[in-house]
Amino acid sequence: MSSQFCAFLASILAISSLTASFPTSSGYVPPDAKCQEYIVPVTVTSDNFQWVAPKWTDDFGFIDFASAASSRTDDGFPPPFGGPVSQTANYSIGATFCTPKNPVSNSKKILLATHGLAFDRSYWNPSYKPEQYNFVQYAIQQGYSVFFYDRLGVSLSTKVSGFSNQLNIQTSVLSQLISSLRSGHYPLLPGAPTSITLVGHSFGSFLSNSLVAAEPTAVDGVIMTGYGLKGSDDRIVLEGLGPRVANIQNPALFGAYDPGYVTTVDVFSNINSFFKAPAYEHDVAEFSEATKQPFAIAELISLNPSLLNVNASAFTGPALVISGEFDYIVCGGYCPNELDPSFRPNFLGAKGFETYVQPLAGHGTNFATNATGFYSVIFDYLSRNGL
């Protein structure tokens, strides 16, 4: 029996044993849903880039790093990553699984949702104005089941250094979560699912794309939101976020994180990166800022095009890329005519590949005033493609 199979079997047994420990879902539960929280153990092996640059301990050191890294010429700035090293580690992933109270034919179809930087899993299931901004609630109303989780390093998932947490590790985590769902060992939805579709936002879309590039038969479909490859400049994104060291900015909330984790400095840097007037409400932006999460600097750097493998030409399932019209982060503020030429070459084998630009929205499409219209585009696509 292989060591990988033993690790997977152990994770399934651990999931089963934790069910009794977490009998109800905390936080917001959509009215038509039944939800269960889990701590999912995973063992992952990945090729991880090693941090070789000096590590800062305060905002002064971080700003020196950020200003040099984002200058027009990079100021002769050496890459902070060295070569990759294969590493194996054990992590715990906080997750929620929601299914309709009254199951229908779609209920065996699972949407596996991965949030982006500066959020946790509540991005998909916010308690504030859920009738307008809650993806999980909308999905449940369409009869789907949704599994959404805290990415590594965030909220209830294992804390790791912000100088090491990166895309390659998290792609391997996502692969393990897919395997656990395929096993059918989740009591809310017994038996194997009929399909698993990845749904990502921003960094979560990079993860989803990376997964289907590496494992093209792992899932049945992929929906990538807040996503772009060629329309943005990473240096502008870094400066636009205006990040500061998280454990200094808010020690009460983020004191457990090392200085490699940063966060938006205030609500206005949050708005600058994730929202676009007039398609947002000020109180929703304030809610987003109040519930924000830090992100690892290594996560952001691991999105450098030279480090990515996003060519998913071997993936044959349906694939949709959908971003806001005025997405600052992935399109430099204007997405029309950017998405299709960026992505179609990477999804040559995909069934029914499509791109769509959501009118008026910024990067945080889930919090645009027309978010339900954004949801309807996604679920129409799923329906048309048998997912």
Side-chain angles (χ1 to χ4, degrees):
M1 186 178 294
S2 71
S3 58
Q4 285 186 328
F5 179 78
C6 289
F8 173 65
L9 181 60
S11 71
I12 294 301
L13 292 172
I15 290 169
S16 299
S17 67
L18 280 169
T19 300
S21 301
F22 295 84
T24 59
S25 175
S26 64
Y28 179 75
V29 177
D32 298 324
K34 51 184 179 180
C35 299
Q36 176 78 52
E37 289 195 352
Y38 294 93
I39 299 296
V40 184
V42 296
T43 298
V44 301
T45 299
S46 53
D47 292 332
N48 306 327
F49 297 100
Q50 304 301 295
W51 188 273
V52 296
K55 298 177 181 179
W56 53 84
T57 59
D58 54 28
D59 283 324
F60 294 101
F62 172 69
I63 292 302
D64 286 345
F65 169 86
S67 61
S70 59
S71 68
R72 184 171 63 86
T73 62
D74 291 338
D75 199 30
F77 190 73
F81 279 161
V85 174
S86 180
Q87 296 175 315
T88 298
N90 300 312
Y91 304 116
S92 296
I93 303 299
T96 305
F97 196 9
C98 292
T99 64
K101 285 180 179 177
N102 300 307
V104 295
S105 59
N106 279 348
S107 301
K108 297 286 282 187
K109 299 176 179 179
I110 298 176
L111 307 179
L112 200 177
T114 306
H115 64 85
L117 302 182
F119 296 97
D120 61 12
R121 66 182 128 153
S122 67
Y123 173 81
W124 304 107
N125 187 43
S127 58
Y128 193 68
K129 297 184 177 180
E131 68 284 353
Q132 293 175 253
Y133 303 109
N134 191 303
F135 175 85
V136 173
Q137 181 160 305
Y138 193 98
I140 291 291
Q141 290 169 350
Q142 313 311 307
Y144 287 83
S145 297
V146 188
F147 184 96
F148 50 110
Y149 67 101
D150 295 325
R151 288 187 300 96
L152 184 66
V154 174
S155 196
L156 294 184
S157 291
T158 300
K159 302 290 187 294
V160 295
S161 173
F163 297 106
S164 62
N165 195 3
Q166 59 192 267
L167 185 84
N168 287 355
I169 302 174
Q170 297 193 41
T171 302
S172 296
V173 169
L174 180 56
S175 177
Q176 291 296 300
L177 294 177
I178 293 167
S179 296
S180 74
L181 288 171
R182 289 283 188 204
S183 73
H185 282 71
Y186 289 83
L188 282 183
L189 195 70
T194 56
S195 68
I196 296 177
T197 298
L198 300 182
V199 182
H201 172 252
S202 193
F203 188 90
S205 291
F206 279 95
L207 272 178
S208 300
N209 192 162
S210 176
L211 188 285
V212 295
E215 301 180 44
T217 63
V219 295
D220 302 282
V222 58
I223 309 293
M224 296 160 285
T225 75
Y227 194 28
L229 289 176
K230 296 182 179 178
S232 65
D233 187 320
D234 293 343
R235 297 169 298 180
I236 295 175
V237 170
L238 179 59
E239 289 296 328
L241 284 166
R244 298 292 183 267
V245 174
N247 65 16
I248 295 175
Q249 197 216 43
N250 194 327
L253 287 180
F254 306 139
Y257 293 88
D258 75 12
Y261 281 88
V262 296
T263 187
T264 51
V265 65
D266 58 27
V267 68
F268 299 106
S269 66
N270 193 320
I271 291 169
N272 188 51
S273 297
F274 293 98
F275 297 85
K276 178 63 178 178
Y280 79 93
E281 298 178 284
H282 293 180
D283 56 332
V284 174
E286 294 280 5
F287 172 80
S288 174
E289 175 68 10
T291 57
K292 70 183 180 182
Q293 294 292 321
F295 60 91
I297 192 64
E299 291 178 308
L300 190 60
I301 292 170
S302 67
L303 300 183
N304 185 296
S306 67
L307 306 178
L308 291 173
N309 174 23
V310 290
N311 189 331
S313 293
F315 177 69
T316 58
L320 170 68
V321 177
I322 176 170
S323 296
E325 180 179 7
F326 300 114
D327 192 315
Y328 175 78
I329 287 183
V330 300
C331 295
Y334 193 64
C335 276
N337 304 316
E338 286 288 344
L339 301 182
D340 200 83
S342 294
F343 288 103
R344 191 169 292 276
N346 291 338
F347 285 91
L348 293 176
K351 170 190 173 184
F353 174 78
E354 292 182 20
T355 61
Y356 181 83
V357 173
Q358 178 66 12
L360 301 178
H363 185 61
T365 40
N366 212 46
F367 289 130
T369 52
N370 58 2
T372 55
F374 159 69
Y375 303 154
S376 70
V377 172
I378 293 173
F379 286 92
D380 174 69
Y381 181 82
L382 293 172
S383 177
R384 287 189 286 109
N385 286 276
L387 295 173

